[in-house]
Amino acid sequence: MTPEITKVLIVVAGALLLLISDRIRVDVIALMVLGTLAMIGLVTPTEALSGFSSSAVITVWAVFIMSGALARSGIANRIGRQVLRVAGNGEARLIAAIMLSAGLMSAFLNNVGVAALMLPVVMDISRRTGRAPSRLLIPLAYGSLLGGLTTLIGTPANILVNEALSDAGFQSFNLFDFAPVGLILLIAGVLFMSLVGRHLLPDRNIHKA
């Protein structure tokens, strides 16, 4: 094992320990790793900072900003009312409506941001219908993840892969190139959770605590 590989493994192990301890914010840990790699000579200072000018990083920032703006605009409450109006009180229909709402928004916004945006919506629906939050929050998580697979900007992983292709000289993806596979996965996930998966969901009703 070369000294460079050993250094990288030590940095990765240190980052994992900090993440597991949950005492330092994730973004701070990322910056610490970046600075450490530069200080021990594995990358040059120019290489360490080059990522901030990457179009992929800027795109991810822009999507997070857009998600934050939607969360502060009060649209979450409107979404919650519409979901209840369409789905009613039936659990299967609620799960399908929540997953489809999260999935469609995740196609054009960051999936983590959509989950954060929809969290108060789902909690409000849970209180209004008297259902355990755990039975609705897990479908929300799956819906936002599956929706992120449908477009280029739906998840940071798609953006980074597209950037790597472009840097390597290959043809980059278009916005909806992921849609044929992503939509099939989204619909299959909604059907599974609505018909089968909901019977496996935990029933932890914090409203009764």
Side-chain angles (χ1 to χ4, degrees):
M1 185 179 296
T2 64
E4 290 78 11
I5 295 177
T6 302
K7 292 178 182 179
V8 170
L9 292 177
I10 292 173
V11 172
V12 171
L16 286 175
L17 289 175
L18 290 175
L19 290 170
I20 293 171
S21 67
D22 201 26
R23 294 185 177 181
I24 304 176
R25 285 170 35 187
V26 175
D27 52 343
V28 175
I29 295 175
L31 291 174
M32 290 171 60
V33 170
L34 185 64
T36 302
L37 292 174
M39 286 190 293
I40 63 179
L42 289 177
V43 296
T44 65
T46 301
E47 290 172 338
L49 298 175
S50 62
F52 292 105
S53 63
S54 168
S55 60
V57 174
I58 295 173
T59 303
V60 172
W61 283 350
V63 171
F64 269 113
I65 292 170
M66 188 184 304
S67 299
L70 287 174
R72 292 175 179 272
S73 66
I75 195 173
N77 292 330
R78 297 182 182 179
I79 294 171
R81 289 195 295 268
Q82 291 298 324
V83 169
L84 272 177
R85 184 179 302 172
V86 171
N89 292 326
E91 185 176 69
R93 293 179 63 184
L94 270 175
I95 289 175
I98 289 171
M99 291 187 69
L100 286 173
S101 299
L104 291 176
M105 286 191 292
S106 293
F108 302 100
L109 302 172
N110 180 268
N111 53 4
V112 178
V114 168
L117 171 67
M118 290 288 291
L119 181 59
V121 175
V122 174
M123 292 301 294
D124 184 58
I125 292 174
S126 173
R127 282 189 290 267
R128 293 185 185 185
T129 60
R131 298 187 182 278
S134 58
R135 300 188 67 81
L136 301 179
L137 290 175
I138 293 176
L140 166 64
Y142 287 144
S144 61
L145 287 172
L146 292 172
L149 302 176
T150 58
T151 64
L152 174 62
I153 62 174
T155 178
N158 292 355
I159 299 172
L160 293 173
V161 167
N162 186 65
E163 180 75 6
L165 279 175
S166 179
D167 291 342
F170 295 101
Q171 182 179 358
S172 58
F173 291 113
N174 294 318
L175 180 62
F176 293 107
D177 281 349
F178 294 85
V181 175
L183 286 174
I184 293 173
L185 292 175
L186 175 60
I187 294 171
V190 171
L191 291 175
F192 174 80
M193 288 301 299
S194 300
L195 302 176
V196 180
R198 66 188 180 92
H199 299 293
L200 306 175
L201 295 173
D203 191 0
R204 299 169 185 166
N205 198 341
I206 61 174
H207 302 317
K208 297 179 181 179

